[in-house]
Structure formats: structure tokens, C-alpha cells
Amino acid sequence: MSSIIKVTGLDKYFGRLHVLKKIDLEVKPMEVVCIIGRSGSGKSTLLRCINFLEEPSAGTIEVDKLVVKAGGRGKEHRQLVHEVRLKTGMVFQEFNLFPHMSVLDNVTEGPVIVKGMDRAKAVQIAEMNLDRVGLLFKKDEFPNRLSGGQKQRVAIARALAMEPKVMLFDEPTSALDPELIGEVLNVMKKVAQEGMTMLVVTHEMGFAREVADRVVVMADGEIIEENTPEVIFKSPKDPRTKALIDRYRSGGHE
Amino acid sequence: MNLFQREPAEPKSQAELLYQAQQRKERQFRTNVGLSWGILLLFLIFLFSGNDIAIGSFSIKTINLDQNFIKENMGFIAGGLWETIKISFLSIAFATVLALLAALGRLSTNPPIYALSTFYVSLIRGTPLYLQIFFFFLALPQLGIVLSGTLAGVVALGLNYGAYMSEIFRAGLSSVGKGQREAAMALGMTPRQTMQRIVLPQALRFAIPPTGNEFIAMTKDSALVAATGFVHELMWRATKVGRAQFHNLEALIMAAIFYWVMTLILTALQSRLEATLSKGDR
Ligand SMILES: Nc1ncnc2c1ncn2[C@@H]1O[C@H](COP(=O)(O)OP(=O)(O)O)[C@@H](O)[C@H]1O
Ligand SMILES: [Mg+2]
């Protein structure tokens, strides 16, 4: 099966800082890939380069047959980036719900404004997705009235309502109190089981072990190892992977 | 099961008692401040009451205002209220637009636009408001541009306040976190949609209370346009009749009361607006 995401030779510099070094990564349709690694290893930057929230310095990003080269300029490039963003949904660590809109409006905003969908249809899709994350009953609330876990579930519904091909999650549970992590992971697991392709940066090793098809380990801007969760967790090859997993075992969250 | 069962009344906790004591103290403070205000006000009224009071050999003469002058000119001076409010309102509207544009320019990465914005703010802030007002009334006609009194006043006040208020809108725009823009972009919004749908509504909401404060300040700075002699607002009317009949004391006191009461009312409205906004859906 051909890949739905294909990152080739991706380099990213912030000024003189070389943050991603010749990254190659492929994700197959319906695959769930978890990215783990120490803080500062470049996980977020990799994710953000895929939907061009960060401009890659070199390399190629391919999402569902759209090929975008780094360093592009002009209208054509912007149009490609736009289409890539339509194919990718993103969930942020800090939720980033729109505080001036109700839960329902947060979820209809993308379809109505970006896709030009009529409101009735958008409401229908929004309600379906809010139901999917178990928060339809909160549709008229404003975000400040939700718990962190509920906010993140709305953020997931907002991304899903755009009907993306791939979902990108950047540490979706890292800003949550421990007792709220479970509800978000459960929603993510459900979305994965429904067949969504997912690329998830996470420190939740239980989730990676249980839900991921593949685990990618990053260190210092490079992918040092990738394999099935069993192999990564039971017999990692790279000593840095072993050190990372040992730290999680002992409960250290960096 | 007894449906009407009540929870037993709990004894008040230490924290509750402390809280109540605190509340009592604050109430008492507010009452005392209110009373003192009343006394100061009474004293001021007494000072201008025109009474002569003799206590033994000690006599107090208070200031005597000409009641006839006050009665005769009340209507004329009060007529300036509307003009004052009108010019303030038009000026603040113009200033708001300019301030928003200047703030957007200030955040722009386009050099000419950034320069235009900073140039405007620097020029206005670097010269006196009084001079700017005269410029539009007196200097422009020399170039053959004659603006009506009200228009010149609105342009001068608007340009001036716009420069100062650009800071409010800049703060408003930067109060909207980077995450908001990123979430909008990740959904596929264009920069324009992101600005219109996500950033501006939040920034404007942030800017409403300080803009209200600027409006209140404007009602008083608008008195400066009286100096040009073309706008018949409160100050102009007060000085006109005051000078003509040599009753500047009465005329200025009347104008001062109008300004003060107007400010009190606007400030009350402003705090109500602020309270509504802050308990809203943020
Ligand atoms: N906008 C930025 N400007 C400069 N440096 C950045 C920026 N974003 C990230 N970095 C740097 O890039 C490196 C990788 O960051 P990041 O991708 O956020 O790592 P991770 O998500 O794995 O913690 C870090 O050294 C970080 O300080
Ligand atoms: Mg990160």
C-alpha cells in the first residue's frame, strides 16, 4: 500500500540551530504512528513541518499524493500548502479552542469558513463529531466552561469535522491534569479504531504500546529507531531508546 | 426516604467568619468614603451659596454667584452638551479606525506600511494637541483647504487620539495568543480569514474598555476646539457668555458641572460595560 504521508530528506533550521536532520518518514493509510523522544528532540517541529506551520528548510513533504517541496514561494506553493492543511487535522498541546465562540461554533467554523459549507450541513457534521467525542451535550457552552479534558476532546472534534485524511497530535495530553488524560486517550483510541491515520507525539507509553502500529524514536533532530511497540519497548536497539523507556518506567516525565 | 429532609445547619467555619469580617470592613470603608464625599460636596455648595454667616464677631462671607445670569444662560450653555457629545463621538469613531489601522501597520512585516504607521504615531505624539487643532483650523485654510469647524475638530481630535489609541489595539492584537492563529491556519484559514474571524474579534473585545476610557477623556479634551471659535460646544458657549457679561466665574462653574456630571454618568456606564464583558463568555 502506498504511503499517505511521506517525508523525504526533511531539514529544519531555526537560525543556526539545526533542529531536524534529513528526516525520512512514511505513514501508511490507517496506520497509527507514535513519536517519542526527549524534550527538544524535534518532535513538534517535525509534526508542524508536515502541515507547514513551520516552513521546512529542505526536503519534500508528501500528503495523500500532494507533493510540496521546501522553499516554495508564490501562489502555487500557497495553494499546495492550503490543500495539505485541508488533508491534515491538528490537535495542539494547549487545545487552542476559539474562546469567543461556542463549542458548536468552534467545530462549524472550519467547514463554513474554509470549505464554504452551508451552515445547516456544517452543524450536522459538527454535532456528529461532538457526539463522537462524547460532548454533544456541551455544544452551547463556551470553552472557558469546560475542563481541560473536555476542551481537548472538542479540539479533536473540531479537527475531525474538516474530514481530514490524517490527524496530527502534538502531545495532546501533556497540559492535562492526570485524572483527565484517560478520557482524551480513549477518544483518540476510538478515532484510531475507526480507521483514522494518526501521527501522535506523546509521552503516554501505555497509549503507544496499546494503540500504535509503529513507534518512532527521535533524538537530537534524528529518527534513531522505529519499530513495532513490542520491539521498541522490549528490545530497543539504540541505548538512547532504552534510556528513554527506562525513564518512563520509573515514572519520570522529564 | 424523607424527601423533605434537610441538611443540618453547619456551624460556620473559621474561614467563613474571617471572610464576613473582611466584608464588613470593606462595606464600612465604602460607607465612610461616601459620607465624606457628601460632606465635601456640601462644603463646595456652601462655599458658593452667597450666604453671610456671623458667629459672634466672626463672620464668614461665601462666594456670591449671580443667579440671574445662571438662569438666563443655562439653556445656552446646556445647548453645547449635544455638540460636545457629538464631536467626541465622531472623533472617537475616527480615532478607533485610525488606531486599528496603525496597530495593524505596526505589526506588519511590510516596511512601507510599518514605516507609515510609526511615522504617523511619532509625528502626532511629538506635537501638542493644541497645535494640531489650530493646524486644521488655521493653517489648512492658508493652503486653500477650509474645513467646517466640526469637521476640522473631528479630524484633529481623531488623528491625535488615533495615535495614542494605536497602543490599545496593538496590545489587543498581541493579547491573542500565537496558538489561536496556528489553530486557524491548521484548519486551512487564509491569513485574512484568520484575522477577521479569530484575531480581530478577540482583540476588539479586549480593546472595548480602554476605548471607553479614551471616549471619556475625549469629552473633556474636546473643549480645546473651543479655542478656534468655530465649534459651539460647552466650553465655547461658556466662555462666550462669560466674557460678554463679565461673569466668567458663573459660566465656567456651569460648564465644569456639565463636564463633571457627564463624566460621572459615562464612567458609570463604562464600569457596567466592563462588568458585562468580564462576566461574559471568556
Ligand atoms: N520557533 C522556534 N524558534 C527557535 N527555536 C525553536 C523554535 N521552535 C523550536 N525550537 C527549538 O527546536 C528544537 C526542537 O524543538 P521541538 O520540535 O519543540 O522539540 P520537542 O517537541 O521534541 O520537544 C528545540 O531546541 C527548540 O528549542
Ligand atoms: Mg514539543
Side-chain angles (χ1 to χ4, degrees):
Chain A
M1 214 176 345
S2 70
S3 301
I4 195 159
I5 294 182
K6 189 169 173 191
V7 174
T8 324
L10 172 63
D11 266 302
K12 175 67 186 175
Y13 291 85
F14 284 114
R16 291 206 180 84
L17 193 63
H18 200 177
V19 174
L20 295 177
K21 300 165 186 164
K22 289 263 168 294
I23 298 278
D24 293 314
L25 175 69
E26 293 193 35
V27 181
K28 302 251 179 297
M30 298 176 58
E31 203 180 10
V32 176
V33 176
C34 283
I35 303 177
I36 64 174
R38 300 182 60 162
S39 167
S41 56
K43 307 179 298 293
S44 297
T45 308
L46 170 57
L47 219 57
R48 294 158 58 84
C49 279
I50 292 174
N51 69 353
F52 288 82
L53 286 185
E54 300 291 355
E55 189 69 41
S57 306
T60 309
I61 308 287
E62 191 178 328
V63 179
D64 194 28
K65 299 182 201 72
L66 287 168
V67 184
V68 195
K69 291 211 162 61
R73 292 255 173 281
K75 213 170 164 189
E76 220 167 296
H77 176 74
R78 280 202 301 275
Q79 181 58 30
L80 272 176
V81 167
H82 179 71
E83 284 172 32
V84 165
R85 286 180 180 159
L86 289 181
K87 288 183 186 290
T88 50
M90 187 156 199
V91 175
F92 300 85
Q93 181 176 340
E94 301 294 340
F95 332 129
N96 296 339
L97 290 183
F98 305 133
H100 57 303
M101 296 180 187
S102 71
V103 163
L104 184 69
D105 289 345
N106 263 275
V107 185
T108 57
E109 183 71 6
V112 171
I113 298 303
V114 176
K115 289 186 171 173
M117 190 181 287
D118 67 56
R119 194 169 156 78
K121 178 97 194 293
V123 167
Q124 200 186 335
I125 290 175
E127 289 183 342
M128 185 188 87
N129 281 295
L130 284 171
D131 196 34
R132 228 166 140 186
V133 301
L135 287 173
L136 185 53
F137 71 109
K138 292 283 189 190
K139 67 177 173 146
D140 296 320
E141 291 284 11
F142 278 82
N144 70 336
R145 309 252 307 160
L146 304 180
S147 72
Q150 291 172 334
K151 282 183 191 161
Q152 195 59 298
R153 284 152 65 197
V154 172
I156 293 173
R158 176 174 70 179
L160 288 173
M162 290 297 282
E163 300 176 334
K165 288 275 162 57
V166 184
M167 287 282 285
L168 308 173
F169 294 83
D170 189 4
E171 299 196 29
T173 58
S174 295
L176 296 175
D177 293 335
E179 71 272 18
L180 302 176
I181 291 176
E183 60 184 80
V184 172
L185 293 180
N186 283 337
V187 165
M188 289 168 60
K189 190 171 152 189
K190 187 174 151 206
V191 173
Q193 283 164 352
E194 288 166 1
M196 178 59 75
T197 309
M198 299 183 11
L199 190 49
V200 185
V201 173
T202 188
H203 295 296
E204 293 300 325
M205 293 304 126
F207 179 84
R209 191 187 281 264
E210 190 187 345
V211 184
D213 298 305
R214 190 150 47 99
V215 175
V216 170
V217 187
M218 287 188 70
D220 301 321
E222 291 175 306
I223 293 178
I224 54 170
E225 184 163 6
E226 58 181 302
N227 219 318
T228 59
E230 289 96 86
V231 176
I232 294 287
F233 288 109
K234 294 220 181 74
S235 46
K237 289 198 194 72
D238 197 296
R240 287 173 290 177
T241 309
K242 195 167 169 358
L244 184 73
I245 288 165
D246 284 346
R247 227 195 1 260
Y248 284 123
R249 282 232 177 78
S250 61
H253 255 225
E254 332 221 350
Chain B
M1 196 174 73
N2 183 0
L3 283 175
F4 297 96
Q5 194 177 346
R6 288 194 170 207
E7 303 220 343
E10 283 195 33
K12 282 183 178 152
S13 68
Q14 184 78 2
E16 178 67 11
L17 289 173
L18 278 172
Y19 175 74
Q20 283 177 355
Q22 174 85 15
Q23 292 277 302
R24 238 187 343 266
K25 238 187 194 158
E26 278 171 20
R27 259 200 311 278
Q28 196 152 34
F29 178 78
R30 279 197 299 272
T31 315
N32 288 341
V33 169
L35 283 174
S36 310
W37 258 71
I39 291 168
L40 287 169
L41 202 58
L42 282 175
F43 174 74
L44 207 57
I45 291 171
F46 171 70
L47 197 64
F48 288 99
S49 65
N51 290 323
D52 292 344
I53 295 171
I55 307 165
S57 62
F58 190 76
S59 82
I60 303 174
K61 238 185 153 76
T62 62
I63 300 164
N64 199 357
L65 297 178
D66 185 333
Q67 300 297 329
N68 275 337
F69 174 86
I70 292 177
K71 272 193 210 107
E72 275 164 23
N73 294 292
M74 181 64 105
F76 180 72
I77 294 181
L81 259 179
W82 165 238
E83 196 66 26
T84 290
I85 290 175
K86 187 176 89 181
I87 199 167
S88 304
F89 194 80
L90 293 174
S91 304
I92 206 81
F94 183 41
T96 302
V97 173
L98 286 173
L100 186 56
L101 291 177
L104 288 171
R106 183 65 207 269
L107 296 170
S108 168
T109 48
N110 178 321
I113 291 178
Y114 180 92
L116 189 64
S117 156
T118 46
F119 190 85
Y120 157 61
V121 173
S122 167
L123 181 65
I124 296 289
R125 287 203 192 191
T127 50
L129 171 57
Y130 205 51
L131 184 151
Q132 291 159 20
I133 287 172
F134 274 97
F135 184 85
F136 285 97
F137 279 103
L138 304 178
L140 279 190
Q142 197 178 324
L143 304 174
I145 305 168
V146 182
L147 303 179
S148 79
T150 305
L151 185 57
V154 167
V155 169
L157 286 170
L159 276 172
N160 182 273
Y161 269 60
Y164 286 94
M165 283 166 62
S166 67
E167 204 48 46
I168 294 175
F169 287 90
R170 192 155 76 98
L173 288 168
S174 39
S175 78
V176 183
K178 195 164 148 251
Q180 291 287 306
R181 288 167 226 258
E182 291 186 344
M185 277 158 60
L187 282 177
M189 287 197 199
T190 61
R192 170 178 279 254
Q193 288 169 336
T194 303
M195 183 53 78
Q196 281 177 353
R197 304 283 313 174
I198 306 304
V199 179
L200 272 188
Q202 295 183 59
L204 291 181
R205 175 174 199 138
F206 178 98
I208 287 174
T211 301
N213 286 333
E214 293 296 317
F215 178 68
I216 294 171
M218 174 85 84
T219 57
K220 284 155 295 177
D221 277 351
S222 68
L224 289 172
V225 303
T228 61
F230 294 118
V231 185
H232 302 175
E233 44 67 76
L234 268 178
M235 187 67 185
W236 181 86
R237 291 177 185 234
T239 46
K240 181 179 160 76
V241 293
R243 279 194 185 128
Q245 303 176 37
F246 198 63
H247 272 305
N248 285 309
L249 182 62
E250 287 85 353
L252 289 176
I253 286 174
M254 285 160 74
I257 291 173
F258 280 125
Y259 279 115
W260 193 16
V261 171
M262 186 163 63
T263 303
L264 288 175
I265 294 172
L266 289 173
T267 307
L269 289 176
Q270 162 82 356
S271 2
R272 190 174 299 182
L273 178 74
E274 233 164 286
T276 323
L277 280 182
S278 68
K279 80 163 171 268
D281 47 32
R282 274 214 80 126

